[in-house]
Short mmCIF file of all heavy atoms in Angstrom, two decimals:
data_model
loop_
_atom_site.label_atom_id
_atom_site.label_comp_id
_atom_site.label_asym_id
_atom_site.label_seq_id
_atom_site.Cartn_x
_atom_site.Cartn_y
_atom_site.Cartn_z
N ASN A 53 149.84 153.03 137.15
CA ASN A 53 149.53 154.12 136.23
C ASN A 53 148.27 153.84 135.41
O ASN A 53 147.48 154.75 135.14
CB ASN A 53 150.71 154.38 135.30
CG ASN A 53 151.84 155.14 135.97
OD1 ASN A 53 151.63 155.78 137.00
ND2 ASN A 53 153.03 155.07 135.39
N ALA A 54 148.09 152.58 135.00
CA ALA A 54 146.90 152.22 134.23
C ALA A 54 145.64 152.50 135.04
O ALA A 54 144.65 153.03 134.52
CB ALA A 54 146.96 150.75 133.81
N VAL A 55 145.66 152.15 136.32
CA VAL A 55 144.52 152.39 137.19
C VAL A 55 144.33 153.87 137.45
O VAL A 55 143.22 154.42 137.33
CB VAL A 55 144.69 151.62 138.51
CG1 VAL A 55 143.68 152.10 139.55
CG2 VAL A 55 144.54 150.13 138.28
N MET A 56 145.41 154.55 137.83
CA MET A 56 145.31 155.98 138.15
C MET A 56 144.84 156.80 136.95
O MET A 56 143.98 157.68 137.09
CB MET A 56 146.67 156.49 138.65
CG MET A 56 147.06 156.00 140.02
SD MET A 56 145.95 156.64 141.31
CE MET A 56 146.93 156.35 142.78
N ASN A 57 145.39 156.53 135.79
CA ASN A 57 144.98 157.27 134.60
C ASN A 57 143.52 156.99 134.24
O ASN A 57 142.79 157.90 133.83
CB ASN A 57 145.88 156.93 133.42
CG ASN A 57 147.29 157.48 133.57
OD1 ASN A 57 147.51 158.43 134.31
ND2 ASN A 57 148.24 156.88 132.89
N SER A 58 143.11 155.74 134.38
CA SER A 58 141.71 155.39 134.10
C SER A 58 140.77 156.12 135.03
O SER A 58 139.73 156.65 134.61
CB SER A 58 141.51 153.87 134.22
OG SER A 58 142.26 153.16 133.27
N LEU A 59 141.12 156.18 136.31
CA LEU A 59 140.27 156.87 137.28
C LEU A 59 140.31 158.38 137.08
O LEU A 59 139.28 159.06 137.18
CB LEU A 59 140.70 156.51 138.70
CG LEU A 59 140.36 155.09 139.15
CD1 LEU A 59 140.98 154.80 140.51
CD2 LEU A 59 138.84 154.89 139.21
N LEU A 60 141.49 158.93 136.80
CA LEU A 60 141.60 160.37 136.59
C LEU A 60 140.73 160.84 135.42
O LEU A 60 140.02 161.84 135.53
CB LEU A 60 143.06 160.77 136.34
CG LEU A 60 143.93 161.03 137.57
CD1 LEU A 60 145.37 161.28 137.16
CD2 LEU A 60 143.38 162.20 138.38
N THR A 61 140.78 160.11 134.31
CA THR A 61 140.00 160.54 133.15
C THR A 61 138.50 160.44 133.41
O THR A 61 137.72 161.18 132.82
CB THR A 61 140.35 159.70 131.90
OG1 THR A 61 140.17 158.30 132.19
CG2 THR A 61 141.78 159.95 131.46
N SER A 62 138.12 159.56 134.32
CA SER A 62 136.70 159.44 134.68
C SER A 62 136.27 160.51 135.68
O SER A 62 135.24 161.16 135.51
CB SER A 62 136.42 158.05 135.28
OG SER A 62 136.67 157.04 134.34
N VAL A 63 137.06 160.70 136.72
CA VAL A 63 136.71 161.65 137.78
C VAL A 63 136.78 163.09 137.27
O VAL A 63 135.89 163.91 137.54
CB VAL A 63 137.63 161.46 139.00
CG1 VAL A 63 137.40 162.57 140.03
CG2 VAL A 63 137.39 160.10 139.64
N LEU A 64 137.82 163.42 136.52
CA LEU A 64 138.00 164.79 136.04
C LEU A 64 136.85 165.24 135.14
O LEU A 64 136.49 166.42 135.13
CB LEU A 64 139.33 164.93 135.29
CG LEU A 64 140.59 164.98 136.14
CD1 LEU A 64 141.84 164.90 135.24
CD2 LEU A 64 140.65 166.25 136.98
N THR A 65 136.32 164.33 134.36
CA THR A 65 135.30 164.70 133.36
C THR A 65 133.89 164.76 133.93
O THR A 65 132.92 164.87 133.17
CB THR A 65 135.34 163.73 132.17
OG1 THR A 65 135.25 162.38 132.65
CG2 THR A 65 136.64 163.88 131.40
N LYS A 66 133.75 164.72 135.25
CA LYS A 66 132.43 164.80 135.88
C LYS A 66 132.10 166.19 136.40
O LYS A 66 130.94 166.51 136.68
CB LYS A 66 132.33 163.79 137.04
CG LYS A 66 132.46 162.34 136.61
CD LYS A 66 131.32 161.93 135.69
CE LYS A 66 131.37 160.47 135.32
NZ LYS A 66 132.54 160.11 134.51
N SER A 67 133.11 167.07 136.55
CA SER A 67 132.88 168.38 137.13
C SER A 67 134.14 169.22 137.00
O SER A 67 135.14 168.78 136.40
CB SER A 67 132.49 168.26 138.61
OG SER A 67 133.58 167.70 139.34
N CYS A 68 134.12 170.41 137.57
CA CYS A 68 135.31 171.26 137.69
C CYS A 68 135.03 172.26 138.82
O CYS A 68 133.91 172.31 139.35
CB CYS A 68 135.62 171.98 136.38
SG CYS A 68 134.33 173.11 135.82
N ALA A 69 136.03 173.05 139.20
CA ALA A 69 135.85 173.99 140.31
C ALA A 69 134.73 174.99 140.03
O ALA A 69 133.99 175.39 140.93
CB ALA A 69 137.17 174.71 140.59
N LYS A 70 134.61 175.39 138.79
CA LYS A 70 133.58 176.37 138.41
C LYS A 70 132.18 175.75 138.46
O LYS A 70 131.20 176.44 138.78
CB LYS A 70 133.87 176.91 137.02
CG LYS A 70 133.00 178.07 136.60
CD LYS A 70 133.45 178.61 135.25
CE LYS A 70 132.59 179.81 134.84
NZ LYS A 70 133.04 180.36 133.52
N PHE A 71 132.09 174.47 138.14
CA PHE A 71 130.82 173.75 138.17
C PHE A 71 131.02 172.46 138.96
O PHE A 71 131.12 171.36 138.38
CB PHE A 71 130.34 173.43 136.76
CG PHE A 71 130.14 174.65 135.89
CD1 PHE A 71 131.09 174.99 134.93
CD2 PHE A 71 129.01 175.46 136.04
CE1 PHE A 71 130.92 176.11 134.12
CE2 PHE A 71 128.84 176.58 135.24
CZ PHE A 71 129.78 176.91 134.29
N PRO A 72 131.09 172.56 140.30
CA PRO A 72 131.43 171.38 141.12
C PRO A 72 130.33 170.32 141.16
O PRO A 72 130.61 169.15 141.40
CB PRO A 72 131.67 171.96 142.51
CG PRO A 72 130.91 173.25 142.52
CD PRO A 72 130.97 173.78 141.11
N LYS A 73 129.07 170.72 140.92
CA LYS A 73 127.98 169.76 140.91
C LYS A 73 127.79 169.21 139.51
O LYS A 73 127.77 169.97 138.54
CB LYS A 73 126.70 170.42 141.41
CG LYS A 73 126.75 170.85 142.87
CD LYS A 73 125.41 171.42 143.32
CE LYS A 73 125.44 171.81 144.79
NZ LYS A 73 124.14 172.38 145.23
N MET A 74 127.60 167.92 139.43
CA MET A 74 127.50 167.27 138.12
C MET A 74 126.33 167.82 137.30
O MET A 74 126.44 167.98 136.09
CB MET A 74 127.35 165.75 138.29
CG MET A 74 128.62 165.06 138.75
SD MET A 74 128.42 163.27 138.97
CE MET A 74 127.98 162.77 137.32
N GLU A 75 125.23 168.14 137.96
CA GLU A 75 124.08 168.66 137.23
C GLU A 75 124.38 170.03 136.61
O GLU A 75 123.94 170.33 135.50
CB GLU A 75 122.84 168.71 138.12
CG GLU A 75 123.00 169.51 139.39
CD GLU A 75 123.38 168.65 140.59
OE1 GLU A 75 124.09 167.65 140.38
OE2 GLU A 75 122.96 168.99 141.72
N ASP A 76 125.14 170.87 137.35
CA ASP A 76 125.52 172.18 136.80
C ASP A 76 126.52 172.02 135.66
O ASP A 76 126.46 172.76 134.67
CB ASP A 76 126.11 173.05 137.91
CG ASP A 76 125.08 173.43 138.97
OD1 ASP A 76 123.88 173.46 138.62
OD2 ASP A 76 125.48 173.67 140.11
N PHE A 77 127.44 171.09 135.83
CA PHE A 77 128.44 170.82 134.79
C PHE A 77 127.75 170.35 133.51
O PHE A 77 128.04 170.84 132.41
CB PHE A 77 129.43 169.78 135.30
CG PHE A 77 130.55 169.47 134.34
CD1 PHE A 77 131.58 170.37 134.12
CD2 PHE A 77 130.59 168.26 133.66
CE1 PHE A 77 132.61 170.08 133.25
CE2 PHE A 77 131.61 167.96 132.78
CZ PHE A 77 132.64 168.88 132.57
N ASN A 78 126.82 169.43 133.65
CA ASN A 78 126.10 168.91 132.47
C ASN A 78 125.22 169.99 131.85
O ASN A 78 125.04 170.01 130.62
CB ASN A 78 125.26 167.70 132.87
CG ASN A 78 126.10 166.49 133.20
OD1 ASN A 78 127.19 166.33 132.66
ND2 ASN A 78 125.62 165.64 134.09
N ARG A 79 124.67 170.87 132.68
CA ARG A 79 123.86 171.96 132.16
C ARG A 79 124.71 172.90 131.30
O ARG A 79 124.27 173.39 130.27
CB ARG A 79 123.21 172.72 133.31
CG ARG A 79 122.12 173.71 132.87
CD ARG A 79 121.45 174.37 134.06
NE ARG A 79 120.77 173.38 134.90
CZ ARG A 79 121.09 173.09 136.14
NH1 ARG A 79 122.12 173.71 136.71
NH2 ARG A 79 120.43 172.19 136.83
N GLU A 80 125.96 173.12 131.72
CA GLU A 80 126.87 173.97 130.94
C GLU A 80 127.20 173.30 129.61
O GLU A 80 127.28 173.98 128.57
CB GLU A 80 128.14 174.24 131.74
CG GLU A 80 129.20 175.06 131.02
CD GLU A 80 128.78 176.49 130.73
OE1 GLU A 80 127.69 176.91 131.17
OE2 GLU A 80 129.57 177.20 130.04
N LEU A 81 127.40 172.01 129.62
CA LEU A 81 127.64 171.29 128.37
C LEU A 81 126.44 171.42 127.43
O LEU A 81 126.60 171.63 126.22
CB LEU A 81 127.93 169.82 128.65
CG LEU A 81 129.29 169.49 129.29
CD1 LEU A 81 129.35 168.01 129.67
CD2 LEU A 81 130.44 169.83 128.35
N ASP A 82 125.25 171.31 127.97
CA ASP A 82 124.05 171.46 127.15
C ASP A 82 123.97 172.86 126.57
O ASP A 82 123.55 173.04 125.41
CB ASP A 82 122.80 171.17 127.99
CG ASP A 82 122.64 169.69 128.32
OD1 ASP A 82 123.25 168.86 127.60
OD2 ASP A 82 121.94 169.37 129.29
N ARG A 83 124.35 173.85 127.36
CA ARG A 83 124.33 175.22 126.88
C ARG A 83 125.27 175.42 125.69
O ARG A 83 124.99 176.22 124.78
CB ARG A 83 124.72 176.19 128.01
CG ARG A 83 124.55 177.67 127.64
CD ARG A 83 125.10 178.57 128.71
NE ARG A 83 126.56 178.54 128.75
CZ ARG A 83 127.35 179.21 127.93
NH1 ARG A 83 126.84 179.94 126.94
NH2 ARG A 83 128.66 179.13 128.04
N LEU A 84 126.36 174.67 125.70
CA LEU A 84 127.33 174.76 124.60
C LEU A 84 126.91 173.81 123.46
O LEU A 84 127.71 173.06 122.93
CB LEU A 84 128.73 174.41 125.10
CG LEU A 84 129.30 175.38 126.16
CD1 LEU A 84 130.65 174.89 126.67
CD2 LEU A 84 129.42 176.79 125.61
N TYR A 85 125.63 173.86 123.15
CA TYR A 85 125.07 173.13 122.01
C TYR A 85 125.32 171.63 122.10
O TYR A 85 125.87 171.00 121.21
CB TYR A 85 125.59 173.72 120.70
CG TYR A 85 125.20 175.18 120.55
CD1 TYR A 85 126.03 176.18 121.03
CD2 TYR A 85 123.98 175.53 119.99
CE1 TYR A 85 125.65 177.52 120.95
CE2 TYR A 85 123.59 176.86 119.91
CZ TYR A 85 124.43 177.85 120.39
OH TYR A 85 124.05 179.18 120.32
N ALA A 86 124.90 171.09 123.26
CA ALA A 86 124.99 169.65 123.52
C ALA A 86 126.42 169.14 123.37
O ALA A 86 126.67 168.08 122.78
CB ALA A 86 124.05 168.87 122.61
N ALA A 87 127.35 169.91 123.92
CA ALA A 87 128.76 169.50 123.89
C ALA A 87 128.96 168.29 124.81
O ALA A 87 128.11 167.97 125.65
CB ALA A 87 129.66 170.65 124.34
N SER A 88 130.08 167.62 124.64
CA SER A 88 130.41 166.48 125.49
C SER A 88 131.88 166.54 125.87
O SER A 88 132.71 167.04 125.12
CB SER A 88 130.11 165.16 124.77
OG SER A 88 130.93 165.03 123.63
#
Side-chain angles (χ1 to χ4, degrees):
N53 283 341
V55 167
M56 289 294 197
N57 290 338
S58 296
L59 288 173
L60 275 175
T61 56
S62 297
V63 172
L64 285 172
T65 53
K66 297 296 184 294
S67 64
C68 62
K70 189 175 181 179
F71 301 102
K73 295 183 178 180
M74 288 179 61
E75 56 265 33
D76 293 334
F77 183 73
N78 290 330
R79 192 176 298 115
E80 177 66 5
L81 288 172
D82 288 339
R83 188 187 71 80
L84 296 176
Y85 300 90
S88 63

